[in-house]
Amino acid sequence: MTQALDIHQDVSRLNRAQATDASAPAAISRSGVFAITFGITFMVLYTVFEQLNWPLFTYHPAVGKLDFWMQRARSGEGPPMYWFGWLALSGIGAVAVSSVATLLPRAWLYRLTVFCCVLAALWPALLAAAAFIADRVSFDAEFLKSVWLTGAVALAGAAAVSFYGSAQWVQRLWVKWLWLVPVGGLAVLGYSLKSYFLR
Amino acid sequence: MEAISDFVFDYISVRTFWRALLFLHFVMAVALLALVTLQTVAVLMPARQAAGNFITRVRATPAASYVTPIVFLYVPTFLLGAWVYLKYRTYVRIPMEQFGHWWTVGTFEFKEHIVTMGIALLPAYWYFWRQPLSEEHAAIRKWLAVFLAISVWYAFLVGHVANDFRGVGS
């Protein structure tokens, strides 16, 4: 009888422990934080650097010449290549940000990721919307196209979303950035290639 | 890289060298394509038992068993592609533009971006597919496997079209 009770207690304890494990979020190690942050940061930076054309260096394959930062094509030197420069700059940036991310408290990391990703999406979206509006209204609305004005609004929006988002929401969203960022990034990068498809 | 190519050019022509590199890139891409496709089948249509026909046996293979070969093949295929890309920019893309093959140029530009996203996701892909697999991250694990498969398939098809314009056997 005593043995039967002990077994029953053990099984109950085991079930409780399993239920706790199932409901608790799986712990992500430091290497996991690095890997996830690296993926998100690299993709955001790559999209931004490609759009702004900020390569770390420019390679001229016809003459085998390397220039620091962005250099336009020069006569007799063939076409310049920026892709390697975007990769290098994004890679360095992503390694630096991911290394810092492993040192941050998780709650901060989740909110900072929301802040950066929302800012990266909101700023160009507001710029595009401002340009669309300014070109269509009857009065002079050129001021709307200001990078700083849209930047300030985007900054405020990103700060509001990351500050007011609940702790559970920013935590659940963190891993999901791994699919939100490539989808958004590829949409932006694909749209910027439209000139090739509309000729 | 230049030192390697200079040494090799003593023995084979420049044209043969680049074609050999392109062919090696193609062979690696085919192997990678097979792996990501098999993993996607195992992830999206898992089967509990290995009994039955070929497809059922593929579906029953543990998807995690493909992860290490995929990672170890994706990186060198990417690097080799980046090397061959140097030749593409001068030897292939310029005539492509002169002939007005803008769709091919545009789709190839997109290939740059999608394979870059793929390599950026590779550390996270490896992390989430490590044993023991956590039930909580099943959805993101599935997404990462499917995204890598899409990126490899896209890169393969577009690369093949570019090769048909000016490459091995064209």
Side-chain angles (χ1 to χ4, degrees):
Chain A
M1 183 66 183
T2 317
Q3 271 183 339
L5 274 173
D6 284 349
I7 290 168
H8 180 72
Q9 279 173 348
D10 285 346
V11 170
S12 306
R13 212 177 297 134
L14 196 67
N15 285 341
R16 266 201 310 276
Q18 279 175 343
T20 312
D21 285 345
S23 60
I28 292 178
S29 64
R30 282 181 128 189
S31 60
V33 169
F34 185 90
I36 296 164
T37 314
F38 178 86
I40 297 167
T41 314
F42 193 109
M43 292 184 290
V44 169
L45 290 180
Y46 177 80
T47 308
V48 171
F49 294 154
E50 197 275 350
Q51 289 297 295
L52 298 172
N53 199 6
W54 284 3
L56 182 63
F57 55 83
T58 304
Y59 185 65
H60 304 269
V63 288
K65 207 170 148 187
L66 205 66
D67 283 317
F68 180 68
W69 205 247
M70 201 274 289
Q71 293 294 331
R72 298 268 172 222
R74 284 188 291 249
S75 177
E77 289 192 356
M81 292 180 84
Y82 305 119
W83 183 65
F84 298 104
W86 299 327
L87 282 182
L89 199 56
S90 312
I92 292 167
V95 168
V97 170
S98 313
S99 305
V100 173
T102 59
L103 307 172
L104 290 176
R106 294 295 160 84
W108 283 37
L109 174 64
Y110 301 146
R111 288 197 188 277
L112 273 173
T113 311
V114 171
F115 176 78
C116 294
C117 290
V118 171
L119 181 65
L122 209 54
W123 199 342
L126 285 173
L127 260 177
F132 182 82
I133 293 165
D135 291 343
R136 275 159 187 80
V137 292
S138 53
F139 57 92
D140 183 19
E142 282 300 302
F143 70 96
L144 284 176
K145 291 182 181 175
S146 160
V147 175
W148 301 113
L149 178 68
T150 49
V153 176
L155 211 65
V161 172
S162 54
F163 184 77
Y164 290 111
S166 72
Q168 289 87 350
W169 180 71
V170 291
Q171 185 183 353
R172 262 187 280 122
L173 196 60
W174 189 57
V175 167
K176 290 180 183 160
W177 289 116
L178 285 172
W179 69 264
L180 287 169
V181 174
V183 168
L186 286 174
V188 171
L189 295 167
Y191 184 74
S192 68
L193 294 171
K194 69 178 188 302
S195 62
Y196 288 111
F197 305 108
L198 298 175
R199 286 186 197 216
Chain B
M1 287 295 180
E2 222 162 274
I4 299 169
S5 44
D6 283 348
F7 173 76
V8 174
F9 293 156
D10 291 342
Y11 300 95
I12 57 171
S13 70
V14 175
R15 187 186 166 93
T16 309
F17 171 75
W18 285 106
R19 288 194 167 204
L21 276 191
L22 184 59
F23 185 71
L24 184 60
H25 179 54
F26 165 78
V27 171
M28 289 165 82
V30 169
L32 186 57
L33 197 65
L35 288 170
V36 294
T37 307
L38 291 172
Q39 188 186 39
T40 306
V41 170
V43 163
L44 296 180
M45 297 182 290
R48 280 166 190 240
Q49 285 185 323
N53 59 16
F54 172 75
I55 301 292
T56 316
R57 285 200 294 275
V58 167
R59 288 170 53 201
T61 310
S65 62
Y66 297 108
V67 173
T68 306
I70 286 174
V71 171
F72 280 103
L73 210 47
Y74 197 104
V75 175
T77 309
F78 178 89
L79 293 175
L80 196 55
W83 193 7
V84 176
Y85 185 46
L86 297 174
K87 197 68 181 170
Y88 162 84
R89 187 63 190 87
T90 49
Y91 184 73
V92 182
R93 186 171 154 172
I94 292 172
M96 237 180 224
E97 290 174 350
Q98 285 166 344
F99 282 106
H101 288 237
W102 298 111
W103 267 78
T104 316
V105 176
T107 48
F108 201 91
E109 289 286 298
F110 194 73
K111 177 186 165 175
E112 280 177 22
H113 303 322
I114 200 165
V115 295
T116 302
M117 298 285 180
I119 204 137
L121 287 172
L122 226 47
Y125 166 78
W126 193 337
Y127 176 77
F128 283 118
W129 276 100
R130 280 186 333 173
Q131 299 288 354
L133 301 175
S134 85
E135 190 54 41
E136 194 194 350
H137 297 127
I140 195 71
R141 213 164 32 240
K142 192 186 280 187
W143 154 255
L144 289 169
V146 171
F147 183 83
L148 279 187
I150 292 170
S151 76
V152 172
W153 265 101
Y154 181 86
F156 182 82
L157 293 174
V158 170
H160 191 68
V161 172
N163 177 74
D164 281 352
F165 180 80
R166 205 172 196 191
V168 178
S170 61

